[in-house]
């Protein structure tokens, strides 16, 4: 069997509203998620047994890697005894709010389902994805989606209009659990309006999409790392039409006219962090 190559796309959150803490410790969400052209690549080759992971770039190798966990979970769920050699080429920054690890896990589920000829339907893969992490079900599908529950209840929305995206990932990561844990102590003043964002998408109104960008978790992460406020201002001055922190952070993204993300990225001070020009997918 020939190796299978799969792209694992990063995501941003165009809105993220925290509705409250649940008895299971997770937070109930309403978030508009959007996949990006930026992606990691996963190559899968069948082998008689065992999961062997090789990483090119910056990511843990071994049982901590969600790729490894996804492969073991699929083996257990399907009873498949076969193994795989998996090469992960990382481009999406880690601990960044871009769902890099989740995207890799989702791509692994999709790829191994093919490689091992398991024929599991999407709903079964989605259930496995939810066990691996809150963002993994979205990553399995991609596009533009409303995510509810802890992130696993997905409703497709109108595809976003063509947009460039510039990402600035400062040189530190954040713990998603710590950011959610800090939410009870903050009082957001401008809350996301999910319906208005969905309307803006439906109308293909890029200006309204930029105007409706809002993320409750900014109130936690920006208070802890005030340099993110400066990064937002800097990105607006560089020409972004709207700026926001993605997920729990710390990556800040800016939306640009289609094809303009490289121009805007070139104006960003590289001292602020890793700068990536991309677009919505
Ligand atoms: O699901 P995932 O493993 O990605 O979540 C990491 C952590 O983020 C959780 O352990 C939880 O503390 C927090 N989280 C949350 N509510 C969500 C998603 C994540 O509190 N909806």
């Amino acid at each position: 069997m020939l190796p299978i190559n799969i792209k694992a796309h990063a995501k941003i959150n165009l809105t993220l509203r925290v509705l409250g803490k649940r008895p299971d410790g997770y937070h109930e969400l309403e978030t508009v998620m959007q996949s990006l052209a930026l992606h990691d690549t996963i190559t899968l080759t069948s082998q008689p047994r065992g999961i062997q992971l090789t990483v090119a770039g910056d990511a843990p190798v071994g049982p901590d890697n969600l790729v490894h966990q996804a492969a073991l979970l699929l083996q257990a769920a399907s009873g498949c005894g076969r193994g795989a050699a998996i090469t992960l080429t990382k481009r999406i920054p880690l601990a960044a709010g871009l769902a890099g690890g989740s995207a890799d896990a989702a791509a692994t589920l999709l790829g191994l389902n093919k490689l091992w000829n398991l024929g599991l339907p999407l709903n079964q893969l989605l259930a496995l994805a939810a066990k691996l992490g809150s963002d993994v079900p979205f990553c399995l599908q991609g596009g533009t989606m409303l995510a509810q529950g802890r992130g696993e209840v997905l409703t497709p929305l109108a595809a976003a209009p063509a947009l460039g995206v510039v990402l600035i990932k400062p040189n530190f990561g954040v713990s998603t659990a710590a950011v959610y844990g800090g939410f009870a102590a903050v009082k957001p003043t401008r809350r996301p309006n999910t319906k208005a964002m969905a309307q803006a998408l439906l109308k293909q109104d890029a200006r309204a999409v930029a105007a409706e960008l809002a993320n409750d978790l900014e109130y936690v992460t920006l208070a802890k790392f005030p340099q993110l406020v400066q990064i937002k201002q800097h990105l607006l001055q560089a020409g972004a039409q709207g700026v926001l922190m993605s997920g729990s952070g710390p990556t800040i993204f800016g939306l640009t006219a289609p094809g303009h993300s490289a121009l805007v990225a070139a104006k960003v001070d590289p001292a602020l962090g890793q700068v990536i020009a991309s677009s919505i997918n």
Side-chain angles (χ1 to χ4, degrees):
M1 176 116 191
L2 287 172
I4 289 180
N5 285 301
I6 303 234
K7 289 179 182 171
H9 291 273
K11 64 83 186 158
I12 52 174
N13 303 76
L14 299 176
T15 62
L16 193 160
R17 189 174 175 113
V18 181
L19 302 177
K21 193 166 179 189
R22 314 185 334 176
D24 65 3
Y26 283 88
H27 289 74
E28 193 71 14
L29 300 182
E30 199 173 82
T31 173
V32 175
M33 301 180 81
Q34 173 62 55
S35 56
L36 300 182
L38 172 69
H39 62 273
D40 295 339
T41 310
I42 296 198
T43 305
L44 305 147
T45 313
S46 198
Q47 63 181 28
R49 62 189 61 81
I51 303 297
Q52 185 193 326
L53 174 62
T54 311
V55 177
D58 179 21
V61 192
D64 271 2
N65 195 305
L66 271 185
V67 165
H68 204 92
Q69 293 174 28
L72 295 181
L73 184 65
L74 192 61
Q75 268 183 336
S78 65
C80 175
R82 286 203 64 77
I86 308 176
T87 304
L88 166 62
T89 306
K90 279 305 288 178
R91 285 182 212 89
I92 308 171
L94 293 186
L98 299 171
S102 302
D104 298 340
T108 302
L109 290 178
L110 287 171
L112 290 179
N113 191 38
K114 245 192 222 169
L115 188 77
W116 292 336
N117 278 316
L118 302 176
L120 294 190
L122 181 63
N123 64 350
Q124 273 186 46
L125 293 177
L126 284 168
L128 295 178
K131 289 188 185 173
L132 292 164
S134 305
D135 288 339
V136 186
F138 169 78
C139 292
L140 211 50
Q141 306 212 74
T144 312
M145 295 257 181
L146 171 64
Q148 292 167 289
R150 66 179 175 95
E152 85 286 22
V153 182
L154 298 167
T155 311
L157 294 173
L163 288 165
V165 180
V166 178
L167 305 168
I168 303 181
K169 158 67 175 62
N171 299 323
F172 57 87
V174 298
S175 147
T176 305
V179 172
Y180 276 102
F183 185 71
V186 297
K187 294 218 175 344
T189 43
R190 181 172 171 259
R191 304 299 304 275
N193 184 337
T194 311
K195 276 205 180 113
M197 180 58 81
Q199 270 303 108
L201 293 166
L202 194 61
K203 289 186 185 154
Q204 296 282 289
D205 184 343
R207 196 178 294 208
V209 169
E212 292 299 336
L213 294 174
N215 179 349
D216 278 342
L217 296 178
E218 275 197 340
Y219 291 86
V220 182
T221 313
L222 269 58
K224 196 162 176 217
F225 301 103
Q227 61 268 50
L228 297 177
V229 179
Q230 267 114 53
I231 292 181
K232 286 183 76 179
Q233 282 161 358
H234 184 85
L235 198 43
L236 280 172
Q237 276 156 15
Q241 295 166 351
V243 294
L244 192 71
M245 183 182 83
S246 184
S248 53
T251 301
I252 301 293
F253 68 87
L255 302 180
T256 74
H260 283 221
S261 62
L263 284 172
V264 173
K267 290 188 194 150
V268 172
D269 179 356
L272 295 173
Q274 187 181 356
V275 184
I276 301 173
S278 186
S279 62
I280 64 157
N281 187 42

